[in-house]
């Protein structure tokens, strides 16, 4: 009888341990993901600020002027939107550190969050754009360290618009 009692208490202890670990993980994983996303967004904003400085430098120089920049994408995608002439960082997650519907502007960086229609997630878009500088190219990059080239391609003197191409070199 004692052996059965020990066996039952052992099984109950294992079940309670598994349930406890499951509860902790279901609460902890979203917090970890939210913190990971916050770090990725903060890193991208800092890199966008440096990139903004380089874009302005190149735009103020002669056609053909060029700079290089190493961009580290911790998570998400980096691409050029040729409709809005903006460099965009895109991140979709169930656990973003920002509320749904957030919109803000930091210098030439526009941040917005909204629904991700393909999945049950919230998407975040950071867009680096200028009024008189059009960012062009066919950039579409994922996670990792990427060497980018920023080059002044053309200038429309009549409309006072500069075209800057960003591409992976």
């Amino acid at each position: 009888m004692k052996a059965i009692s020990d066996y039952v208490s052992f099984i109950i202890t294992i079940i309670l341990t598994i349930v406890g670990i499951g509860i902790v993980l279901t609460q902890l994983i979203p917090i970890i993901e939210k913190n990971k996303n916050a770090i990725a967004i903060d890193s991208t904003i800092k890199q966008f600020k440096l990139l903004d400085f380089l874009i302005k430098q190149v735009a103020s120089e002669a056609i053909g002027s060029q700079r290089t920049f190493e961009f580290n994408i911790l998570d998400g995608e980096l691409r050029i939107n040729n409709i809005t002439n903006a460099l965009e960082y895109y991140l979709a997650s169930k656990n973003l550190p920002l509320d749904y519907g957030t919109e803000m502007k930091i210098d030439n960086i526009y941040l917005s969050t909204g629904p991700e229609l393909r999945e049950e997630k919230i998407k975040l878009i950071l867009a680096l754009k200028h009024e008189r500088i059009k960012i062009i190219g066919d950039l579409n990059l994922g996670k990792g360290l990427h060497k980018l080239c920023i080059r002044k391609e053309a200038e429309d003197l009549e409309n006072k618009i500069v075209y800057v191409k960003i591409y992976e070199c």
Side-chain angles (χ1 to χ4, degrees), residues 1-16:
M1 189 77 167
K2 175 122 168 92
I4 294 174
S5 174
D6 289 341
Y7 182 71
V8 170
S9 65
F10 177 72
I11 297 294
I12 290 173
T13 303
I14 289 177
I15 290 172
L16 288 176

Side-chain angles (χ1 to χ4, degrees), residues 14-33:
I14 289 177
I15 290 172
L16 288 176
T17 302
I18 291 171
V19 169
I21 290 171
I23 291 171
V24 167
L25 287 179
T26 58
Q27 297 300 313
L28 196 58
I29 288 174
I31 293 169
I32 291 170
E33 187 177 341

Side-chain angles (χ1 to χ4, degrees), residues 77 79 90-94 114-125 140:
E77 300 172 10
R79 59 186 174 213
Y90 171 84
L91 177 65
S93 175
K94 290 182 179 179
E116 171 53 62
L117 302 178
R118 295 173 286 170
E119 304 171 33
E120 292 181 12
K121 296 181 177 182
I122 299 172
K123 69 178 175 184
L124 170 120
I125 296 178
N140 193 354

Side-chain angles (χ1 to χ4, degrees), residues 101-121:
T102 300
E103 290 186 8
M104 66 175 78
K105 183 178 182 239
I106 308 161
D107 300 322
N108 292 314
I109 303 166
Y110 299 83
L111 180 147
S112 64
T113 61
E116 171 53 62
L117 302 178
R118 295 173 286 170
E119 304 171 33
E120 292 181 12
K121 296 181 177 182

Side-chain angles (χ1 to χ4, degrees), residues 47-87:
Q47 292 179 89
F48 265 25
K49 287 180 179 182
L50 289 171
L51 202 52
D52 183 40
F53 174 76
L54 293 175
I55 289 169
K56 288 177 191 173
Q57 256 189 348
V58 167
S60 69
E61 297 172 357
I63 292 174
S65 292
Q66 183 170 304
R67 301 286 189 283
T68 59
F69 182 76
E70 288 192 354
F71 201 103
N72 190 14
I73 303 169
L74 300 177
D75 200 1
E77 300 172 10
L78 184 69
R79 59 186 174 213
I80 292 178
N81 183 331
N82 286 306
I83 296 169
T84 62
N85 295 108
L87 181 66

